[in-house]
Amino acid sequence: MSGFLDRAREQAQRGLTQGKQKIDDIQAQRTGADLLRKLGAAYYEEQHGNGSHHDTQHAVSAVENHIAEYGDAFLRG
């Protein structure tokens, strides 16, 4: 009986770990998409005289930092 409970506990832990990883991946995708929207808005504002190059560069840096930490999968989504 103990072996069964140990296996069940291991499977449950594995499921929790996989679920947490999936949640983390989804959050990274959402954050990346949000950063891209901000970059697009900054670029649009800069091109139309309402924004600054500094704001656009800041947005580019944020996207690059996100890519360095989480990869670029969000760019394909």
Side-chain angles (χ1 to χ4, degrees):
M1 182 73 161
S2 177
F4 171 76
L5 291 177
D6 288 340
R7 284 192 307 269
R9 185 178 311 125
E10 287 172 11
Q11 283 182 329
Q13 186 62 41
R14 217 174 8 256
L16 287 172
T17 301
Q18 289 173 345
K20 177 156 179 15
Q21 180 62 43
K22 184 67 174 172
I23 289 170
D24 291 345
D25 291 345
I26 290 170
Q27 185 60 39
Q29 289 276 38
R30 288 180 179 170
T31 301
D34 185 47
L35 291 171
L36 283 178
R37 278 191 295 278
K38 289 178 181 179
L39 173 57
Y43 180 78
Y44 180 86
E45 289 178 6
E46 180 184 355
Q47 294 301 306
H48 288 87
N50 299 328
S52 70
H53 182 68
H54 177 326
D55 292 340
T56 303
Q57 281 306 117
H58 181 72
V60 167
S61 293
V63 170
E64 289 173 342
N65 290 338
H66 186 77
I67 289 171
E69 187 167 348
Y70 300 104
D72 64 355
F74 72 98
L75 294 172
R76 296 187 270 309

